[in-house]
Amino acid sequence: MKDLIVINPYCPEESKKERLEKIVRYSVGNRIHKVFSTVEEVENADLRNKRILFTISLGQSGINLSWYAIMKYLRINSNALDGSVGGVILDGNSEIFTKSTGRSLVFTANRAGCTFPGRPLVEGTRTLKNYNIQAQNLNTDNMGAYMTAGRDLVNNIMKYSPKKKAHPNILVLHAGNSSISNSLALWNMVKKHLPQCHFNEISLRNGQIIDCRGCSYATCRHFGEEGSCFYGGTITEKVYPAILACDALVMVCPNYNDALGANLTAFVNRMTALFTAHRFYDKSLFGVVVSGYSGGDIVAEQLISGLNMNKTFALPGKFAILETANNPGEITVSEGVGRRAESFAHNMKSVLIG
C-alpha cells in the first residue's frame, strides 16, 4: 500500500486541535504515514506521486497561519504535488469558513498537480450540524458521522486510480456564441490536440435551461431514478444521458461577474436529480475559463465546489486552463496561448488515455 502523507499545519492552541486529532487518528488508522506541520518540512520533502491528507484546524477565525505559509509555497511551486492524490479534513470552531477554506485549498493544491477524488472535503463546523442528515442515515450521532466521513475519504484517497481508455468520451458543455466566444475559441485550441477522443458538445444557450425550483427530496429522487427531472427539457433529454455516457466533462466557462454564467449554473443545480441515483467518481472534470479582466480562479473554485466536492466528479491535477481575453477573438493572439492550450491537452491525455 502507498504511504499516506499527512500535512497538518501547526496550530499553537491545544484546545482547537483535540477534535481534529480524534478524527484524524480514526480516519488514518494503522496506515503508514508521515506528518509534516511546517512549511520548512514541506519544502524539504518530495511530495510528488504521493497520497496526501491535508488536515487543518481553523478555530473560530477560520485562519491557520501555518497553512498560509504552505499555501504560498504551493502557489509558487506549480509542480510540487505532481502525480499525487489528496483529500482534506478541516475542523473549525465556527459555522462558516470551512467550505471556503477547503475550496481554496483544493484549488491551490490542484494547481500544484494534486488530483482529488470526488467528495475530497470533510468539514467539521463548530456544532457539526452539517452532519445531521448523515448521522440519521448512519444511525449514529453527528461526531460518529463526521469520523465515518473521514475514514471514507482516506479510503478513497488510497484506492483512487483513474480509468483510462484508448478513445475516451468527452462531454463538453458551454453556453457561448461560437462566432464571438473567447472561451469556445480557447477550447477549440485545446481540442485539436485530442484526436483520440470522441466529443459530444452541447450548447445550453437561448433560454433552454430552467433552473432548479427545489422539489422535495422524494420527488427529486423519483425522477432521478428514471434518469429525468420534473422540469424536463434539454437537461433531461440531452445532458443527463450524455453525463452517464461520458468519461470526462469539460465545462467551457466565460467569467460573468466573477461567477459561472446563468445557464451553466442552472446545469449544476439541475444535476441534483441525477445525483440522487448516480455517483460520478469515475468521471473526470476539466475547466476552460476565460475572464475579461480577472477572477478566473473564482470561477474555477465554483466548478470545484459544485461538481467535485458536491457531485463527486474527480478533479485531475491542473484541471483547468485559465486565460484572460476581452474583445472577440482576443484569445487567439494572446502571447503563448497556443503552447498553454497544447500543454493543457497533453495533461488531459495523460489522465484519460491509456
Side-chain angles (χ1 to χ4, degrees), residues 28-88:
V28 172
N30 61 358
R31 293 177 172 89
I32 300 171
H33 66 281
K34 299 177 183 177
V35 179
F36 298 130
S37 298
T38 68
V39 66
E40 291 80 11
E41 291 173 334
V42 170
E43 289 173 344
N44 292 324
D46 182 359
L47 295 178
R48 295 169 298 174
N49 301 304
K50 301 294 192 299
R51 304 288 159 140
I52 301 174
L53 179 66
F54 297 88
T55 65
I56 303 180
S57 178
L58 294 178
Q60 186 174 359
S61 68
I63 294 173
N64 182 302
L65 294 177
S66 295
W67 165 246
Y68 280 174
I70 294 171
M71 185 162 62
K72 177 182 177 181
Y73 168 77
L74 294 178
R75 287 184 176 180
I76 293 172
N77 294 273
S78 60
N79 298 316
L81 304 179
D82 277 356
S84 291
V85 178
V88 184

Side-chain angles (χ1 to χ4, degrees), residues 172-178 181 183-184 187 200-205 208-209 250-254 263-264:
V172 182
L173 296 181
H174 68 89
N177 183 330
S178 59
S181 170
S183 302
L184 280 173
W187 163 243
N200 182 4
E201 300 189 0
I202 299 177
S203 171
L204 303 180
R205 293 187 69 222
Q208 299 179 63
I209 309 305
V250 175
M251 297 287 287
V252 181
C253 309
N263 284 355
L264 295 180

Side-chain angles (χ1 to χ4, degrees), residues 326-340:
N326 198 324
N327 296 324
E330 184 177 331
I331 190 66
T332 62
V333 295
S334 177
E335 184 177 357
V337 70
R339 172 181 49 80
R340 293 190 294 274

Side-chain angles (χ1 to χ4, degrees), residues 16 21 23 26 34 39 73 98 115 131 135 185 195 215 221 247 282 286 297 307 314 316-317 329 352:
K16 294 197 302 187
E21 290 174 348
I23 185 175
Y26 181 83
K34 299 177 183 177
V39 66
Y73 168 77
T98 50
T115 291
Y131 284 95
C215 292
R221 182 174 179 83
D247 300 301
D282 60 343
F286 296 95
D297 54 326
L307 293 170
L352 300 173

